[in-house]
């Protein structure tokens, strides 16, 4: 997780991974960050252990939630819709 904004992000920010199938999303896991993020800071990598069969027909989506003052809400989501090799 990168804090690319100009605002401090407190501890407690949650990173969630969803399987996406059409308009439906299924939560596969979430991780709460224990330490705050200063502007420009990056966390250690976050890993979610899932099976290929867990991936939705429209891929995966990661969302970051819980930042205190958001300057840009549009940069909190990342989606992957490429095929995975079993």
């Amino acid at each position: 997780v990168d804090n690319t904004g100009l605002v401090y992000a407190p501890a407690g920010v949650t990173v969630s991974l969803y399987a996406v199938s059409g308009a439906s999303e299924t939560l596969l896991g979430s991780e709460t960050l224990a330490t705050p993020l200063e502007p420009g800071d990056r966390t250690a990598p976050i890993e979610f252990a899932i099976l290929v069969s867990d991936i939705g027909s429209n891929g995966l989506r990661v969302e970051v939630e819980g930042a205190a003052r958001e300057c840009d809400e549009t940069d909190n989501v990342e989606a992957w819709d490429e095929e995975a090799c079993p």
Side-chain angles (χ1 to χ4, degrees), residues 24-68:
S24 175
E25 294 186 352
T26 303
L27 178 64
L28 299 176
S30 61
E31 182 79 28
T32 300
L33 304 182
T35 58
L37 282 176
E38 295 287 339
D41 279 356
R42 172 184 285 184
T43 67
I46 296 173
E47 296 182 15
F48 294 99
I50 64 169
L51 302 172
V52 171
S53 60
D54 291 335
I55 299 172
S57 60
N58 295 105
L60 299 170
R61 185 175 73 84
V62 175
E63 183 169 356
V64 179
E65 304 171 282

